[in-house]
Amino acid sequence: MSTADRLVDFDEVLTRYEPVMGLETHVELGTASKMFCGCSTTFGAEPNTQTCPTCLGLPGSLPVANSAAIESTIRIGLALGCRIATWARFSRKNYFYPDIPKGFQTTQYDEPLCTAGHLDVEVDGETYRVEIERVHLEEDTGKNLHVGGSTGRIHGADHSLIDYNRAGIPLVEIVTRPIPGAGAKAPEVAKAYVTELREILVTLGVSEVRMEQGNLRCDVNTSLAPIGHLEWGTRTETKNVNSLRSVERAVRFEMRRQAAVLDAGGSITQETRHFHEDSGSTSPGRSKEEATDYRYFPEPDLVPVAPDEEWVATLQAGLPELPAARRTRLSDEWGIAPTEMAWLVNAGAVELVSETVAAGASPGDARKWWLGDLARRANDSGTELAELAVTPAQVAELIGLISAGTINDQLARQALDGVLAGEGDPAAVVEARGLAVMGESDELVSAVDAAIEGNPDVADKVRGGKVQAIGALVGAVMKTTRGKADAATVKRMLEERLVSS
Ligand SMILES: [Zn+2]
């Protein structure tokens, strides 16, 4: 680590500085074809098999805008409460990297499709309004692969490979206005914003939103200003932060690093920085270009986009129920407080509980199993709830078996072991493992009789009026039946034999 990486304790940062963040989120749209040509967008194809003269920027090729991408962008804008432009234009952003074969990126500059929206996010019961400056449409770049070095970066590599399959895939950029006032919660607000945005994109169905495949990438801007200063500090831009947790870590690290620089009397360099997943630290990239360096000018090969008002109204009317509204409705339907809904959100269980209820379980039972036993198992194995090898339908089936009296909670846990081990649906596991609660069968009758014979002293106490002593006999029966008997039934059978005869 260089001296620039001295860090101030997080709590101490907040005694002297006010953080301001900004987030630029890139979302690869899930359209079948690219933004300005007909090439396929399927992920994982052999390198350079999904290209054509247009997305390779060959002379004489002409772009045609993808209308499905424009529609998706407007729907994102509407979901974020943006104003939709009646007239928008594409521009050329000139820069020269090998992954941008045309020598410019076709994007939107001063006339984006959507402006002036907002997204409310909740952290620890408090709502923070994140203002959205713009939502615009552009094209993705190709992918560089630097081979031979240890870090995957160009420094130290033998050679570099370029895959243009990604070049030209429609990319929506969602840019927030600076977010002040979050204080100590700044890292969590940043994470909550991206989490909520991701939920909205999933609900709209505009993108696969797989962060690990790079469908959603965040640039995280962070700056600090001494408390009481009206002017915000110089910001750094941490590029391509590719997980929700990393968004939080990137803000936290930059706050601590910048505070150390400022404490030492230094100044923050306006630059892009790389985020390192392993250490949670950032390191300097290139110094940040000014807009003028890109020499933007209107794209002469594309006509302006003028979304028809009626069409926009139709898109607005066709928006699905958005995540925040859905959470409010489900809280009402399930009769739970907002704080309990927040737990479900944090546990990633809203969808799972909702599907379990849809499959026939009561909301209370569904919450109990997902937040209780299943959350514990996910935690023990270090996975997310949704990654457990059990479906909401199976959980509902398990709950149904308990309600029907076929199994009790303890047997249900054993049945769950079987489901998670891939032994089939709960009913099949109960059958195969012989987990069903025993009825008043011959087996149970003989277990009850054996308990009385095996514990004559206890039996005599019960006969003599010490009815509480019956618990020891119930325990003995439960033990011989390995928990498969129903305790209430056993107690009744013992009473019939020992009491009031
Ligand atoms: Zn193409």
Side-chain angles (χ1 to χ4, degrees):
M1 281 206 177
S2 69
T3 49
D5 287 339
R6 270 195 302 251
L7 302 177
V8 173
D9 182 71
F10 183 77
D11 292 332
E12 205 188 317
V13 174
L14 297 155
T15 62
R16 294 192 287 280
Y17 302 102
E18 174 65 34
V20 178
M21 314 155 276
L23 290 131
E24 297 171 20
T25 311
H26 288 95
V27 186
E28 257 184 20
L29 295 180
T31 52
S33 61
K34 291 188 181 180
M35 187 59 227
F36 300 113
C37 63
C39 289
S40 164
T41 58
T42 307
F43 182 82
E46 281 293 301
N48 297 308
T49 54
Q50 296 174 166
T51 59
C52 72
T54 300
C55 56
L56 289 176
L58 299 185
S61 60
L62 286 172
V64 177
N66 182 333
S67 63
I70 292 171
E71 178 173 317
S72 291
T73 308
I74 292 175
R75 291 178 70 231
I76 294 169
L78 290 170
L80 294 170
C82 288
R83 209 162 43 227
I84 308 303
T86 49
W87 179 267
R89 220 164 15 171
F90 289 100
S91 286
R92 292 187 180 185
K93 179 183 184 181
N94 295 278
Y95 64 101
F96 299 92
Y97 286 157
D99 57 8
I100 193 120
K102 296 188 291 190
F104 61 85
Q105 180 189 31
T106 306
T107 179
Q108 296 190 299
Y109 179 50
D110 51 350
E111 294 169 278
L113 269 167
C114 323
T115 52
H118 65 267
L119 180 59
D120 289 337
V121 299
E122 211 172 289
V123 173
D124 295 338
E126 224 175 302
T127 302
Y128 296 84
R129 171 152 293 196
V130 177
E131 305 280 352
I132 307 290
E133 186 174 290
R134 57 191 281 143
V135 178
H136 74 245
L137 185 53
E138 58 189 32
E139 59 182 334
D140 210 345
T141 61
K143 230 177 196 170
N144 294 324
L145 183 66
H146 304 299
V147 186
S150 57
T151 59
R153 298 197 185 284
I154 196 164
H155 307 284
D158 299 332
H159 60 282
S160 297
L161 300 169
I162 308 172
D163 177 7
Y164 289 116
N165 284 352
R166 198 178 69 177
I169 289 184
L171 199 63
V172 165
E173 182 170 350
I174 301 156
V175 184
T176 71
R177 293 180 58 77
I179 310 162
K185 293 278 162 34
E188 288 152 81
V189 170
K191 182 188 173 192
Y193 163 75
V194 181
T195 307
E196 186 70 10
L197 182 60
R198 191 175 170 279
E199 290 282 306
I200 289 176
L201 296 166
V202 169
T203 304
L204 293 173
V206 293
S207 167
E208 300 234 349
V209 222
R210 295 220 181 110
M211 289 188 90
E212 73 283 4
Q213 286 186 7
N215 294 151
L216 184 74
R217 314 194 286 271
C218 283
D219 298 343
V220 182
N221 296 328
T222 316
S223 70
L224 291 181
I227 285 175
H229 271 225
L230 292 176
E231 257 179 56
W232 291 333
T234 304
R235 68 190 161 89
T236 59
E237 182 179 343
T238 306
K239 301 291 277 183
N240 292 333
V241 183
N242 289 340
S243 77
L244 297 171
R245 185 164 159 263
S246 299
V247 170
E248 180 176 345
R249 292 166 84 206
V251 173
R252 197 174 291 273
F253 181 88
E254 272 301 288
M255 285 171 66
R256 298 179 62 197
R257 184 191 69 83
Q258 292 183 16
V261 174
L262 296 171
D263 279 356
S267 57
I268 303 301
T269 311
Q270 185 172 340
E271 62 189 356
T272 63
R273 298 185 66 89
H274 301 293
F275 182 73
H276 304 284
E277 208 54 65
D278 47 353
S279 58
S281 63
T282 67
S283 64
R286 58 195 154 84
S287 65
K288 180 76 179 152
E289 288 87 349
E290 296 293 332
T292 49
D293 295 330
Y294 290 122
R295 296 176 297 107
Y296 283 97
F297 64 88
E299 166 61 64
D301 288 340
L302 286 164
V303 292
V305 183
D308 179 65
E309 247 178 73
E310 245 175 74
W311 180 49
V312 173
T314 310
L315 293 179
Q316 171 90 60
L319 285 184
E321 181 183 38
L322 295 174
R326 175 176 159 77
R327 287 195 299 268
T328 305
R329 176 175 60 78
L330 290 176
S331 297
D332 285 351
E333 284 178 14
W334 297 346
I336 61 174
T339 46
E340 203 171 340
M341 182 50 90
W343 293 337
L344 288 171
V345 171
N346 287 337
V350 177
E351 210 48 48
L352 297 166
V353 169
S354 173
E355 286 172 28
T356 306
V357 171
S362 79
D365 284 337
R367 287 204 320 279
K368 178 185 128 179
W369 280 92
W370 283 109
L371 284 185
D373 217 72
L374 288 161
R376 207 163 31 247
R377 287 165 194 257
N379 196 39
D380 289 348
S381 56
T383 55
E384 300 289 323
L385 266 186
E387 288 164 15
L388 287 176
V390 59
T391 64
Q394 288 172 325
V395 175
E397 186 181 323
L398 192 75
I399 291 167
L401 290 169
I402 300 168
S403 309
T406 311
I407 49 175
N408 53 31
D409 277 19
Q410 195 199 329
L411 293 168
R413 282 184 203 101
Q414 294 179 43
L416 201 50
D417 290 339
V419 173
L420 290 168
E423 293 168 23
D425 288 335
V429 174
V430 166
E431 172 79 33
R433 290 195 175 196
L435 294 175
V437 169
M438 293 166 82
E440 222 168 310
S441 59
D442 291 348
E443 194 188 348
L444 190 54
V445 169
S446 55
V448 168
D449 291 343
I452 293 170
E453 275 167 37
N455 301 278
D457 302 353
V458 183
D460 280 342
K461 274 187 198 165
V462 178
R463 285 195 191 94
K466 279 198 80 178
V467 181
Q468 315 89 288
I470 209 165
L473 297 174
V474 174
V477 175
M478 294 308 279
K479 201 173 164 199
T480 47
T481 57
R482 295 189 313 279
K484 286 194 287 180
D486 176 54
T489 308
V490 172
K491 185 159 178 272
R492 181 176 49 72
M493 289 168 71
L494 286 162
E495 282 169 353
E496 281 168 10
R497 285 160 177 73
L498 301 174
V499 187
S500 72
S501 48

